[in-house]
C-alpha cells in the first residue's frame, strides 16, 4: 500500500473480513508504517490537520483510501484503480466479484487477494484455479537441489508416547526434513529454515489459466521463525482430535 501511495498513485479500496479488523489494521499497522517513512509521514500529518483522515475514508491530495469489511455498501461505493482484499475465504459468496468490479476494467488496475485456504468450490477456490499457480520452493542446504516444500511426504518425525500421553520433547527432537533428491537430513534449526526460505523461489505449475491472473502459494514451512516441531505438533494434535470426533 505504501508503495502505491508513494510511487504508483491511484485510488485504493481495502476490504478485510470485518469492519473492526479493518479499523484495527489502520490504527495499529498502516498509520505506524506510514509514519516510519519520512516522505509519507507528512501526508499523514496533513490529512489529520485538514480532517481528511476519517474513519473508513482517508483522503490524500493525489488519492483516497476507502477501507472496511466486505459489506455491499463498502464494495459498491467507490471506483478505484487498486483493490486489496484480505482473508477472502471469510467473505460471503459474491463479494469477491463485487470487489473486483470496483476497478471498472481500467487498463492499469490491479486486484490483490490475500488469504489462507478456503473450501473446495468456493469463490476463492474458483479465483485460484482460474490463475497461473506458482508454488514456493527451496534449495536443499546440503546438496543444493531445488524442490517444493512437501510436509506430508518429506517431513519426518516419530510419534512418541509416554504413559498414554504424547512425549512432545522426544517428538520435537525427532523432527527433520528429508530432501527429495539426495535424502539429505535437514535438521530443524533456525539457520536451515532461514537459508531455505531466503534462498527460495516460486515455480509455475504450468496450468491452464485465464490471461492476466496469477496465484502464489506460500507454506508455513517457509516461515523461518516457526519451528517445524511446532507445525508437527499442530498436525499430530489435529489428527488426534479428528479421531476423537472433534471437527
Amino acid at each position: 500500500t505504501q508503495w502505491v501511495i508513494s510511487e504508483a498513485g491511484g485510488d485504493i479500496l481495502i476490504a478485510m473480513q470485518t469492519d473492526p479488523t479493518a479499523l484495527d489494521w489502520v490504527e495499529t499497522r498502516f498509520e505506524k508504517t506510514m509514519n516510519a517513512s519520512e516522505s509519507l509521514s507528512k501526508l499523514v500529518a496533513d490529512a489529520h490537520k485538514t480532517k481528511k483522515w476519517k474513519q473508513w475514508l482517508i483522503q490524500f491530495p493525489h488519492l483516497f483510501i476507502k477501507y472496511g469489511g466486505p459489506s455491499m455498501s463498502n464494495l459498491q461505493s467507490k471506483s478505484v484503480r487498486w483493490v486489496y482484499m484480505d482473508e477472502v475465504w471469510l467473505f460471503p459468496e459474491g463479494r469477491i466479484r463485487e470487489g473486483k468490479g470496483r476497478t471498472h476494467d481500467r487498463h492499469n488496475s490491479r486486484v490483490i487477494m490475500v488469504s489462507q485456504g478456503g473450501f473446495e468450490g468456493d469463490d476463492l477456490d474458483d479465483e485460484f484455479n482460474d490463475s497461473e499457480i506458482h508454488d514456493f520452493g527451496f534449495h536443499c542446504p546440503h546438496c543444493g537441489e531445488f524442490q517444493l516444500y512437501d510436509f506430508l511426504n518429506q517431513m519426518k518425525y516419530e510419534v512418541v508416547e509416554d504413559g498414554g500421553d504424547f512425549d512432545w520433547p522426544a517428538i520435537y527432537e525427532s523432527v527433520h526434513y528429508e530432501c527429495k533428491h539426495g535424502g539429505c537430513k535437514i535438521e530443524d534449526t533456525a539457520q536451515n529454515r532461514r537459508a531455505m526460505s531466503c534462498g527460495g523461489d516460486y515455480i509455475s505449475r504450468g496450468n491452464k489459466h485465464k490471461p492476466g491472473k496469477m496465484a502464489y502459494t506460500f507454506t508455513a514451512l517457509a516461515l523461518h521463525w516457526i519451528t517445524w516441531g511446532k507445525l508437527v505438533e499442530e498436525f499430530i494434535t489435529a489428527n488426534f482430535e479428528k479421531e476423537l470426533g472433534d471437527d
Side-chain angles (χ1 to χ4, degrees):
T1 307
Q2 283 77 7
W3 178 83
V4 171
I5 296 170
S6 175
E7 306 296 331
D11 298 324
I12 303 169
L13 171 64
I14 297 174
M16 295 190 169
Q17 56 265 48
T18 64
D19 281 344
T21 301
L23 186 61
D24 180 69
W25 173 78
V26 168
E27 293 177 346
T28 64
R29 299 180 64 182
F30 175 68
E31 185 170 1
K32 287 183 177 180
T33 55
M34 288 284 288
N35 283 326
S37 166
E38 184 176 349
S39 60
L40 295 177
S41 60
K42 186 177 185 303
L43 289 175
V44 176
D46 289 345
H48 279 297
K49 183 177 180 180
T50 58
K51 301 187 183 304
K52 292 186 177 180
W53 188 289
K54 301 177 181 178
Q55 193 174 76
W56 317 126
L57 181 65
I58 301 169
Q59 294 175 284
F60 297 131
H62 61 307
L63 60 83
F64 68 77
I65 302 173
K66 179 77 167 64
Y67 66 94
S71 65
M72 292 296 288
S73 59
N74 187 36
L75 296 175
Q76 291 187 336
S77 60
K78 299 288 184 180
S79 177
V80 298
R81 177 185 173 190
W82 300 87
V83 176
Y84 295 86
M85 292 183 279
D86 185 61
E87 294 295 4
V88 291
W89 75 286
L90 294 171
F91 283 23
E93 184 178 357
R95 300 299 167 85
I96 290 178
R97 182 179 62 253
E98 294 294 337
K100 291 168 60 180
R102 292 308 90 214
T103 66
H104 290 100
D105 297 319
R106 286 176 171 82
H107 74 282
N108 62 348
S109 65
R110 296 290 185 273
V111 177
I112 301 170
M113 290 175 277
V114 180
S115 183
Q116 68 179 54
F119 299 94
E120 187 174 355
D122 65 8
D123 289 349
L124 173 59
D125 189 48
D126 290 341
E127 293 290 339
F128 182 75
N129 289 315
D130 282 344
S131 306
E132 180 183 4
I133 301 171
H134 301 73
D135 299 301
F136 191 76
F138 67 93
H139 295 275
C140 174
H142 299 300
C143 69
E145 291 289 338
F146 183 82
Q147 58 205 280
L148 298 179
Y149 286 92
D150 184 350
F151 181 93
L152 291 179
N153 294 308
Q154 303 307 124
M155 184 60 65
K156 307 299 180 181
Y157 55 90
E158 296 179 15
V159 179
V160 184
E161 296 187 14
D162 182 11
D165 297 322
F166 290 118
D167 186 343
W168 291 115
I171 294 173
Y172 270 67
E173 184 67 25
S174 72
V175 172
H176 64 278
Y177 195 96
E178 185 176 272
C179 170
K180 278 187 176 181
H181 296 279
C184 310
K185 183 178 181 179
I186 307 172
E187 299 289 354
D188 184 13
T189 66
Q191 181 180 2
N192 283 335
R193 296 193 305 269
R194 183 182 291 274
M196 292 162 66
S197 180
C198 293
D201 203 355
Y202 281 99
I203 185 170
S204 172
R205 295 184 186 179
N207 60 299
K208 293 182 179 179
H209 61 279
K210 294 181 179 179
K213 300 187 70 173
M214 293 185 289
Y216 296 85
T217 69
F218 193 83
T219 171
L221 291 173
L223 298 173
H224 62 79
W225 58 89
I226 299 178
T227 67
W228 296 334
K230 183 177 187 299
L231 298 176
V232 166
E233 178 186 344
E234 292 176 351
F235 182 75
I236 292 174
T237 301
N239 279 286
F240 178 72
E241 293 175 348
K242 184 179 180 180
E243 291 177 2
L244 295 178
D246 185 354
D247 294 332

